[in-house]
Amino acid sequence: MGKRKRRVKPYRRITSNMGARLILILGVLLLLMLMIMGKMIYLGIFKHGSYKKTVLAQQQYMNTEISYRRGDILDTNGNVLATSRKLYKVILEPKNIIGTRTKNDAGEEVKTNNEKLVTSALLKYLDVTQENIDKALSNSNSYYYDTLCGKLTYDEVKDLKKYLNTEEGESLDGIWLEESYERVYPNNTLACHAIGFVSDGDIGVGGMEQYYNSILKGTNGRRYTYLNEELEYDTSIEEAVNGKTLVSTLDTNIQKYAEKYLKRFLKEYGSKNASVLVMNPNNGEVLAMANSKTYDLEDPMNEDNLEKYFKKSKLKKMTAQEKSDAYSSIWSNYIVSSTFEPGSTFKPFNVAMGLETGVLTGDEMFTCNGYQIVSKTRIRCSHVHGTISLSATIAQSCNDAMMQIAEKMGAEDFAKYQREFGFGSKTGIDLPGEASASNVLHDENMADVDLATSSFGQSFQCTMIQLGSAFCSVINGGYYYQPHVVKQILDSDGNVEKNISKTLVKKTVSEETSEKLRNYMRETVESGTARVAQIDEYDIAGKTGTAEKYPRGTDKRLVSFIGFAPYDDPQLMVYVTIDEIKKGSQSNTRLAVEMTRDIIKDSLQYMNVEENQPEDAD
């Protein structure tokens, strides 16, 4: 049998096409490997922080608010009218404090060293018990913090605060102090309507607190606590931005004088309402605002504020809305928000109009027979003054002469100058709630009777700040300055950020007219209706006012006096209104004159304004 021959498999050669495909496949695989490696390097190095944040964001974390400090309100001399007192909360983080406890041989948990130190410090430096601490730490399985105690003053936490700043205190975990602020008014009721108060922490209500709320407010900061990549708690802080401080034009001493004499009047006579406005006639600064209805800025919602003006039996029957309205009535600033007929304090304006329009020269004589017949209507004067000079028409407060002057001017010029003095328009004072008294008539709507009665301050209404600001222009040479209660804004570090200087709005009368009116009103004090205003120290001038209230014939009146001194170089203007005197005659302007006189005297002496020199003896 022959030997079997083995079959040999033929050799297959690799063609160039096959080699190219192999290289392509290997290249693609290599490229994919490089891309994967590159992605891993990118994710591991360049995107590490981003992914870390994503992971941490899924962990428990918290953020707490860091309160800003509301800006102070100061008087013109830097005395504090409103400020913010720092308070503290003691915050505990149970999980951080307790950490991981071990167990002793009896199977009982043993407190960590951190927990022992924290507990010891709390018991030593705070007025708390072990029970208080245990309760705060009881929820140790939760990350969220607990407030151990709050609204503590600096004196109550200063020892703990000092300890936490030591090396040992800084090493403790899970305890910190959270700061907040409480609004404080050191003078309680003083200038309450001009200052206002704060509700719900940062909402100004009334006065400068409301008008300048956005300036006084700051921005809260944030304290963020989260788990870091080592699963430890870490903290970052976004600092709060404090509010700015107001330097007001109010003078605490002059405000006290105004309130002192107002309270004395109220105690002896009483009235439905009485108010005092004090201004610097040379720049529009308001130095004092006082109203008979006051409230405690420290506790404006306390019913004790209401009980001063409402009977308890009536308060018990009030609905929630009625009680809210009652609070609003005592918070309202009468000087800027209430309107009334000014009465004879308007007469200097009527004479100034006559002088400015040229219908008066200053040498006129008038005959007063006690009334004028206007459109078949008899309009009376308070007295039969006979033949009197122009200056005496103011000094003796003659309605008859005022009507004659207005008739010569005519409704068109009268209305024009009435608007020029600002009656019927807001002054723009930097306080909320200003009324405009929109019932001031335009010339086309002004009947002859309206013109006649408007000439002596009836048939239209105004606010105290309107008349007071306009009056300042009459006595200072004719310069109408916008009234204002803030003169500077300071940043949170006390640096001047903005000066609010006097703002000249318009020229109302000439220097010559202003000088004549000052002399005429000096005569009012020397020999006219305000003789009780005479004092030896200063030459006071001014004008009394009596307005019969609506409805006519009820014998209800608002009396007033607007005075200034020294008459030849006014440094101070004081305007007093008394609505419905309770004891005695409601036409007793003497009470307003006396109050003005006393405020002027004390204020000028405090301001170191030179007093009159005594005349040499013969």
Side-chain angles (χ1 to χ4, degrees):
M1 191 171 176
K3 196 174 181 180
R4 190 175 178 184
K5 198 175 186 179
R6 192 174 66 167
R7 191 177 178 181
V8 179
K9 194 174 182 178
Y11 173 73
R12 186 182 235 180
R13 293 182 61 189
I14 297 177
T15 65
S16 60
N17 287 337
M18 292 173 61
R21 283 198 297 270
L22 181 60
I23 293 172
L24 178 61
I25 292 170
L26 290 173
V28 170
L29 290 174
L30 180 60
L31 181 61
L32 288 173
M33 289 179 63
L34 290 173
M35 288 177 64
I36 292 171
M37 291 176 65
K39 186 69 174 179
M40 291 176 64
I41 293 171
Y42 174 74
L43 294 177
I45 298 177
F46 298 104
K47 296 294 288 183
H48 172 74
S50 174
Y51 280 95
K52 183 178 82 171
K53 290 179 181 178
T54 302
V55 172
L56 293 179
Q58 297 173 8
Q59 306 298 321
Q60 286 187 324
Y61 75 98
M62 72 171 183
N63 72 80
T64 55
E65 200 169 69
I66 300 175
S67 299
Y68 69 83
R69 185 182 188 281
R70 190 175 178 89
D72 292 344
I73 300 177
L74 311 177
D75 84 340
T76 189
N77 299 311
N79 298 308
V80 176
L81 300 176
T83 188
S84 295
R85 176 175 57 193
K86 186 179 287 188
L87 298 176
Y88 297 85
K89 286 181 182 179
V90 180
I91 306 297
L92 302 183
E93 297 170 355
K95 193 169 184 179
N96 278 354
I97 291 175
I98 293 175
T100 304
R101 289 173 174 171
T102 59
K103 293 184 178 181
N104 58 21
D105 295 338
E108 299 171 334
E109 286 189 335
V110 178
K111 291 183 178 180
T112 62
N113 187 55
N114 182 70
E115 184 178 358
K116 291 177 182 178
L117 289 174
V118 169
T119 301
S120 174
L122 293 173
L123 292 172
K124 181 177 181 180
Y125 298 117
L126 287 180
D127 184 18
V128 293
T129 65
Q130 183 67 52
E131 183 181 0
N132 299 141
I133 299 170
D134 291 342
K135 184 178 179 181
L137 296 178
S138 61
N139 194 14
S140 60
N141 292 325
S142 171
Y143 167 78
Y144 296 102
Y145 67 90
D146 277 312
T147 300
L148 177 64
C149 45
K151 287 197 171 184
L152 301 179
T153 64
Y154 174 76
D155 287 340
E156 291 173 308
V157 301
K158 65 180 181 181
D159 292 334
L160 176 62
K161 188 177 177 70
K162 184 178 180 180
Y163 169 72
L164 292 177
N165 287 327
T166 64
E167 185 176 348
E168 182 180 70
E170 288 179 346
S171 68
L172 298 181
D173 288 329
I175 176 173
W176 43 280
L177 299 177
E178 181 181 286
E179 298 175 355
S180 62
Y181 293 92
E182 180 180 67
R183 204 61 168 161
V184 178
Y185 302 93
N187 300 301
N188 297 99
T189 62
L190 189 78
C192 56
H193 298 97
I195 297 170
F197 61 94
V198 174
S199 175
D200 296 329
D202 64 353
I203 301 173
V205 179
M208 289 176 275
E209 291 278 27
Q210 179 176 334
Y211 191 91
Y212 287 97
N213 192 57
S214 61
I215 301 294
L216 291 163
K217 280 181 65 174
T219 304
N220 286 327
R222 286 280 171 182
R223 176 191 180 102
Y224 299 94
T225 305
Y226 51 87
L227 284 171
N228 62 25
E229 59 185 340
E230 284 79 29
L231 297 183
E232 296 174 345
Y233 288 114
D234 208 348
T235 300
S236 65
I237 294 176
E238 182 181 322
E239 296 291 349
V241 178
N242 292 329
K244 297 169 185 176
T245 288
L246 304 179
V247 180
S248 74
T249 61
L250 300 180
D251 189 304
T252 298
N253 289 308
I254 296 177
Q255 180 72 34
K256 287 179 178 178
Y257 298 143
E259 294 191 11
K260 169 186 173 182
Y261 292 110
L262 178 57
K263 287 177 183 176
R264 187 174 72 178
F265 156 77
L266 292 170
K267 183 177 181 180
E268 189 170 350
Y269 294 93
S271 67
K272 181 179 179 180
N273 186 80
S275 297
V276 180
L277 170 65
V278 184
M279 295 180 68
N280 181 338
N282 301 304
N283 57 19
E285 290 185 354
V286 174
L287 305 179
M289 282 182 165
N291 295 296
S292 54
K293 291 181 179 179
T294 61
Y295 63 95
D296 188 351
L297 292 169
E298 291 273 334
D299 194 6
M301 297 294 292
N302 192 318
E303 282 204 11
D304 289 346
N305 295 317
L306 295 180
E307 289 176 1
K308 292 188 290 185
Y309 312 107
F310 299 92
K311 293 181 179 179
K312 288 185 178 181
S313 58
K314 186 175 181 179
L315 284 173
K316 289 181 180 179
K317 297 177 182 178
M318 283 185 178
T319 64
Q321 183 59 53
E322 287 172 338
K323 191 165 287 187
S324 176
D325 293 341
Y327 276 117
S328 295
S329 71
I330 64 173
W331 296 340
S332 176
N333 188 347
Y334 181 92
I335 294 168
V336 301
S337 301
S338 297
T339 62
F340 55 90
E341 291 181 308
S344 295
T345 51
F346 182 77
K347 289 175 180 175
F349 297 100
N350 191 50
V351 172
M353 293 175 188
L355 292 168
E356 288 297 302
T357 57
V359 301
L360 298 176
T361 64
D363 299 323
E364 288 78 11
M365 301 296 292
F366 295 86
T367 299
C368 169
N369 61 2
Y371 64 91
Q372 282 283 309
I373 302 294
V374 182
S375 297
K376 298 181 181 180
T377 300
R378 180 187 288 255
I379 304 175
R380 294 179 301 164
C381 188
S382 59
H383 297 85
V384 177
H385 293 103
T387 301
I388 56 176
S389 65
L390 179 60
S391 62
T393 66
I394 289 181
Q396 302 300 324
S397 201
C398 179
N399 289 356
D400 194 340
M402 292 299 141
M403 289 186 277
Q404 295 176 49
I405 294 169
E407 184 181 14
K408 287 184 179 181
M409 270 190 290
E412 184 177 351
D413 280 343
F414 182 90
K416 172 189 171 185
Y417 273 92
Q418 197 177 28
R419 290 193 298 270
E420 188 68 17
F421 282 119
F423 293 102
S425 301
K426 294 182 180 181
T427 65
I429 188 171
D430 48 345
L431 288 174
E434 183 180 9
S436 62
S438 57
N439 70 324
V440 176
L441 298 172
H442 299 295
D443 59 291
E444 63 269 17
N445 300 319
M446 190 177 291
D448 291 342
V449 171
D450 295 324
L451 175 62
T453 54
S454 293
S455 70
F456 53 84
Q458 301 222 192
S459 297
F460 73 93
Q461 295 189 333
C462 67
T463 62
M464 286 184 71
I465 194 63
Q466 279 177 338
L467 192 142
S469 301
F471 188 83
C472 285
S473 76
V474 171
I475 64 174
N476 72 9
Y479 301 95
Y480 186 105
Y481 296 106
Q482 184 174 13
H484 59 286
V485 295
V486 170
K487 67 177 186 178
Q488 275 186 333
I489 297 175
L490 311 180
D491 65 22
S492 57
D493 294 321
N495 303 308
V496 177
E497 186 173 283
K498 182 179 181 181
N499 285 308
I500 303 173
S501 55
K502 61 184 180 182
T503 302
L504 179 62
V505 178
K506 62 184 110 176
K507 191 83 159 61
T508 56
V509 298
S510 66
E511 295 275 358
E512 182 182 3
T513 295
S514 179
E515 183 179 0
K516 286 179 179 178
L517 266 297
R518 291 197 299 270
N519 288 322
Y520 297 167
M521 286 186 277
R522 174 58 184 160
E523 187 176 326
T524 303
V525 173
E526 288 180 326
S527 58
T529 58
R531 287 189 289 272
V532 71
Q534 294 181 42
I535 55 176
D536 294 332
E537 292 83 359
Y538 300 102
D539 293 329
I540 298 176
K543 182 69 191 79
T544 54
T546 305
E548 185 181 6
K549 298 177 64 178
Y550 279 112
R552 310 296 191 204
T554 61
D555 204 35
K556 292 184 177 180
R557 288 176 166 78
L558 183 146
V559 297
S560 57
F561 182 67
I562 189 162
F564 59 97
Y567 88 96
D568 55 348
D569 183 22
Q571 299 298 305
L572 200 71
M573 186 283 294
V574 178
Y575 183 22
V576 172
T577 63
I578 305 174
D579 187 4
E580 297 184 26
I581 299 169
K582 290 183 178 179
K583 185 177 179 181
S585 170
Q586 287 196 14
S587 300
N588 189 359
T589 57
R590 178 189 180 99
L591 300 177
V593 176
E594 289 176 338
M595 202 187 311
T596 303
R597 175 200 65 199
D598 294 341
I599 295 169
I600 286 177
K601 178 182 175 181
D602 286 3
S603 297
L604 290 182
Q605 288 179 332
Y606 155 71
M607 293 165 63
N608 291 319
V609 175
E610 185 178 359
E611 298 181 8
N612 292 333
Q613 298 300 314
E615 295 182 5
D616 295 334
D618 293 336

